[in-house]
Amino acid sequence: MKDLMLECSGLSDKGCVRKNNEDAFWLEPRRGLYIVADGMGGAQAGEHASRLAVESVAAFMKGFNGTITPENMTAAFEQANENVRKAAAADHDLEGMGTTLVAAVEQGDDLLIASVGDSRAYSCRNGELKAITEDQSWVNEVGRRIGMEEEALTVHRMRHVLTMAIGVGEKLRVNQYRHAVQPGETILLCSDGLYGVVPELVIKEAINNGARSMEEKCRYLLEAARDAGGPDNIT
């Protein structure tokens, strides 16, 4: 994996509508750890939740020098959940805060990926973009399963409702994925401020543009979301 993941970059922006940025991310290529979180809650609570969750997972992973297992990833997410819940209980201004969380860690030629909520991991391989993670959302876990049309789901009043988030409840359901990375493949972690605003075709074309550096690709995608109105934070 160290021969494959040659370059990484990340950017985050509050967008064009929100007053503050409640997204957070973590890049630690030396340890092969990559994290994105999208917070929620009143005032600054969402911002606090996402930052605390990201830092909790990074701190938990620091204690492992060997192979990270799916069980370790689940434990890291459970620790983040506990830390966010404790912080909310200790401060009335943070009550009700929560966050999505998606993390990827290098394991040989694979990526071990865990997710809670609807921040996503994508693979761009051989010119094709494909989501690796599945959203823990009403749309994905309820609407689609009962056969609702995609057009109806895009305007449904429950379209923004998550079925799981860090900090919201004591019990946590962590989705796990193992992804074999191929030479030349790009992995994208992002919040819904990107994929919910920018068409997948634009994301795919930006990633496949070999003339741009990784940082330039991130900047292009961020600006594409802002040009589309930037209704949410973008990471």
Side-chain angles (χ1 to χ4, degrees):
M1 187 64 186
K2 295 300 182 182
D3 294 329
L4 298 176
M5 192 71 76
L6 298 178
E7 184 181 2
C8 70
S9 185
L11 289 174
S12 189
D13 187 85
K14 68 179 182 179
C16 303
V17 176
R18 301 293 179 88
K19 293 182 179 180
N20 63 313
N21 190 353
E22 296 185 329
D23 286 1
F25 73 94
W26 185 282
L27 298 180
E28 198 170 354
R30 183 180 61 83
R31 289 173 49 214
L33 178 63
Y34 313 89
I35 313 171
V36 167
D38 179 356
M40 64 199 80
Q44 305 296 314
E47 185 175 334
H48 188 84
S50 62
R51 184 176 64 252
L52 180 56
V54 163
E55 291 174 351
S56 296
V57 171
F60 189 96
M61 292 300 181
K62 193 174 183 180
F64 292 91
N65 295 319
T67 300
I68 304 296
T69 67
E71 291 74 21
N72 297 149
M73 292 285 278
T74 295
F77 274 50
E78 289 174 341
Q79 184 64 63
N81 189 57
E82 182 179 353
N83 291 348
V84 172
R85 282 169 50 81
K86 283 183 177 179
D91 187 339
H92 178 72
D93 291 337
L94 301 178
E95 186 178 354
M97 71 177 178
T99 183
T100 70
L101 191 61
V102 58
V105 62
E106 297 178 20
Q107 289 291 286
D109 289 341
D110 295 346
L111 278 179
L112 184 60
I113 299 171
S115 69
V116 166
D118 66 351
S119 289
R120 293 179 181 176
Y122 284 91
S123 160
C124 192
R125 178 189 295 178
N126 299 324
E128 294 302 316
L129 185 70
K130 183 179 180 180
I132 299 171
T133 54
E134 294 184 1
D135 297 344
Q136 291 177 324
S137 66
W138 185 92
V139 165
N140 190 54
E141 297 188 343
V142 180
R144 289 195 177 102
R145 291 183 182 180
I146 63 176
M148 289 186 65
E149 297 291 337
E150 289 298 318
E151 185 176 352
L153 290 173
T154 61
V155 296
H156 197 279
R157 62 183 179 84
M158 298 284 282
R159 65 187 182 278
H160 299 303
V161 175
L162 298 178
T163 55
M164 189 63 56
I166 297 290
V168 173
E170 184 177 351
K171 293 184 178 180
L172 196 66
R173 177 165 47 90
V174 183
N175 289 347
Q176 297 269 2
Y177 313 85
R178 183 173 290 275
H179 182 78
V181 181
Q182 301 298 318
E185 182 176 2
T186 298
I187 303 296
L188 169 68
L189 304 184
C190 62
S191 62
D192 64 347
L194 177 67
Y195 74 77
V197 178
V198 180
E200 285 195 1
L201 178 62
V202 175
I203 297 175
K204 180 174 69 173
E205 290 177 346
I207 292 175
N208 287 330
N209 190 326
R212 295 191 183 106
S213 68
M214 195 70 75
E215 183 176 357
E216 289 170 337
K217 292 176 183 181
C218 287
R219 175 64 60 186
Y220 181 91
L221 291 172
L222 190 152
E223 292 300 332
R226 289 184 60 87
D227 289 345
D232 201 351
N233 305 146
I234 312 147
T235 302

